[in-house]
């Protein structure tokens, strides 16, 4: 919980309202949920009860679900709901007049310092705030559906919102264990929907022009460009009426191919038919081989133009846009990052040629995009684009920290994909090892963000079109970990599969919680481990077990993996942090030179003959016999005290 906010009122018990109430209660807040009819609040309450039961079944909440539910109360009386609330979150239907009435009532019935947030998807915060006497207390807090699962929340300022209110809203979102991004200007649809709408819209315009097939466009975006759903598939999923409404509201053009379907009430999945036919047809039916010759850049250029507009107008930073697109839009990487890889000059050219051909306003290149290109900031190759790459560029998929004790903690930070490795993520891991000052590092700990996975493997989106050379980075990264001169530790909690397992095999020490799962499922994709997995495994656990794991794509429990010798230890979750702390403590206070020599001798020796190995060992021993650390170790032993190694 945050210091300023203890009790929360949620207005609306529908799809979003009950979900928001649930996440707030899970985080420890007292929540009052309000709807206009007893029946609706009851429904919402039952949904929360059901969902909490499911979360408990899967071990995804620590508390007894009844205790969480006990923090939720319901009412149909607005004054009752907001009277004591520090924060009110409105999740009523998307109707400006309705929301304005609600906010006016909330303003009158709540305390002077109550923060009033709207979960609107497409309205301006200021238009709603106007109905209150305290617009400085009103902000946007845009959760994604379903709130329990979706990690992103856009926190938006209206023109008059007090920055302290935005800060408190951001802190509240963080206290829910969700990721906030800041939307600094009051624009309809915030960040994610603004960048994602052209994905579906542009595909619609291409269809209007008549020379593409639905399946080809979807297949190209999914299999060539790695998007999780094709644009038509996504539009069917979200509802063509929702798309159209969000455009019409602001008088923005809607492709004829979308409008005509809405008029025929073919709204997508929910009506059984949209771009695909889900009742009488095959549903979504594109194949990996479809999509030849589709102009994917045309679709991405429009998304990138939108992202440039948001950055140029100071609505959001590239980092926040990219986090938003990953967590809220399900994209494998952020749009600004994609742009920097594609080359902003190519993007600009594409927009200019489309603009010239059609004259349509939507292709008019944004000023900021033009500025970047004119300044030579055309992307990663040029050293600068949306991001600055002069120092290698920002880390998007890992976070890292070097402690005063010399522990380099590296977190695989792609929780939305169970920390699956993209090529960028492999590169970032290698880069962090290369850039850390080895003299400052005593040991490295690798772990996965969140509670579900160390890493679920390599991200297979894009595999179908990847060149063998694209995948070479995998091996280089795994090798860089193996050869890193300091001790490396894999701290495994959850899934550790495929490339995730290969990373751990390259580490010196491997520890896991008992509920973790380790395996090599590559064979199920028609592949074999490609990051040294077969070779390191066979040296570790022998041929029969390696073959069984690889041939059958087996996934082992942590207990079994310990028994087989893959793990140093598997322990109960409660003991895990303590165990890692002990190991890290030993390594960071140990004699650094001796540890380095030990690592080198053990690794080099096991791939050589026994004689060579023994020679390596005695050379290492001889070398260490002259170090200050050795003298300190012996002195400490004689004086019966802890040694204080200086690393010489
Ligand atoms: P919904 O129709 O499922 O639920 C809205 C609920 O609000 C209904 O139960 C309705 O009875 C209730 N309601 C109506 N008037 C009310 C009032 N005066 N006070 C309290 N409750 C009232 O709608 P939803 O999908 O939950 O959407 C709610 C809001 O969240 C909308 O602004 C929508 O744009 C936004 N949103 C929706 C999604 C989504 O995917 N569904 C995602 C993000 C944001």
């Amino acid at each position: 919980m945050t210091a300023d906010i203890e009790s929360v009122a949620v207005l609306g018990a529908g799809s979003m309202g009950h979900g928001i109430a649930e996440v707030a209660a899970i985080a420890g807040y007292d929540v009052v949920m309000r709807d206009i009819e007893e029946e609706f609040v009851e429904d919402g309450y039952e949904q929360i009860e059901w969902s909490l039961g499911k979360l408990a079944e899967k071990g995804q909440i620590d508390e007894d679900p009844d205790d969480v539910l006990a923090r939720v109360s319901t009412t149909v009386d607005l004054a009752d709901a907001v009277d004591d609330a520090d924060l009110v979150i409105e999740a009523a239907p998307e109707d400006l007049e309705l929301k304005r009435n609600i906010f006016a009532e909330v303003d009158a019935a709540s305390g002077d310092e109550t923060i009033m947030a709207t979960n609107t998807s497409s309205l301006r915060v200021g238009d709603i705030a106007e109905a209150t006497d305290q617009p400085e207390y009103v902000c946007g807090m845009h959760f994604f559906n379903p709130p329990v699962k979706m990690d992103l929340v856009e926190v938006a300022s209206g023109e008059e919102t007090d920055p302290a209110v935005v800060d408190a809203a951001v802190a509240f979102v963080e206290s829910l264990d969700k990721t906030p991004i800041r939307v600094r200007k009051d624009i309809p649809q915030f960040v994610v929907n603004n960048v994602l709408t052209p994905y579906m819209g542009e595909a619609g315009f291409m269809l209007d022009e008549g020379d593409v097939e639905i399946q080809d466009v979807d297949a190209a975006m999914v299999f060539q460009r790695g998007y999780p759903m094709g644009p038509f598939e996504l539009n069917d999923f979200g509802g063509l009426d929702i798309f159209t409404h969000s455009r019409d509201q602001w008088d923005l053009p809607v492709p004829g191919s979308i409008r005509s379907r809405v008029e025929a009430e073919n709204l997508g999945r929910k009506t059984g038919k949209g771009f695909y036919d889900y009742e009488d047809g095959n549903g979504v039916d594109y194949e990996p081989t479809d999509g030849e010759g589709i102009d994917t850049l045309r679709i991405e250029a429009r998304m990138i133009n939108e992202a440039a507009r948001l950055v140029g107008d100071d609505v959001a930073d590239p980092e926040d846009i990219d986090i938003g697109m990953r967590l809220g839009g399900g994209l494998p990487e952020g749009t600004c990052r994609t742009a920097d890889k594609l080359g902003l000059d190519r993007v600009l050219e594409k927009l200019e040629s489309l603009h010239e051909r059609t004259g349509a306003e939507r292709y008019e290149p944004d000023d900021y995009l033009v500025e970047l290109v004119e300044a030579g900031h055309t992307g990663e190759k040029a050293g600068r684009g949306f991001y600055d790459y002069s120092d290698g560029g920002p880390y998007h998929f890992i976070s890292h920290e070097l402690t005063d004790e010399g522990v380099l903690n590296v977190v695989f930070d792609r929780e939305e994909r169970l920390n699956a490795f993209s090529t960028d993520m492999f590169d970032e891991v290698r880069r962090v090892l290369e850039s850390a000052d080895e003299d400052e590092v005593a040991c490295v700990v690798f772990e996965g963000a969140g509670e579900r996975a160390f890493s679920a493997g390599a991200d297979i989106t894009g595999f179908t079109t990847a060149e063998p050379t694209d995948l070479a980075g995998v091996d280089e990264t795994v090798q860089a970990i193996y050869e890193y001169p300091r001790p490396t530790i894999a701290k495994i909690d959850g899934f550790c599969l495929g490339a995730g397992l290969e990373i751990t095999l390259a580490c010196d020490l491997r520890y896991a919680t008992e509920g973790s799962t380790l395996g090599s499922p590559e064979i199920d994709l028609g592949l074999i481990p490609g990051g040294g997995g077969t070779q390191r495994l066979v040296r570790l656990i022998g041929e029969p077990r390696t073959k069984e794991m690889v041939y059958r794509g087996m996934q082992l429990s942590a207990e079994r993996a310990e028994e087989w010798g893959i793990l140093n230890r598997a322990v109960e979750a409660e003991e895990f942090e303590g165990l890692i702390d002990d190991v890290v403590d030993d390594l960071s206070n140990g004699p650094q030179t001796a540890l380095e020599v030990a690592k080198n001798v053990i690794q080099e020796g096991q791939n050589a003959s026994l004689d060579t190995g023994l020679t390596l060992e005695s050379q290492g021993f001889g070398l260490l016999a002259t170090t200050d650390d050795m003298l300190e170790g012996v002195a400490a032993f004689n004086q019966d005290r802890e040694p204080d190694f200086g690393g010489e």
Side-chain angles (χ1 to χ4, degrees), residues 12 14-16 34-35 91-94 99 102 119 121 142-143 145:
S15 315
M16 297 304 291
R34 190 252 168 172
D35 208 304
E94 191 73 342
K99 287 191 194 282
I102 293 175
N119 187 48
S121 317
H142 183 225
F143 288 77
N145 194 11

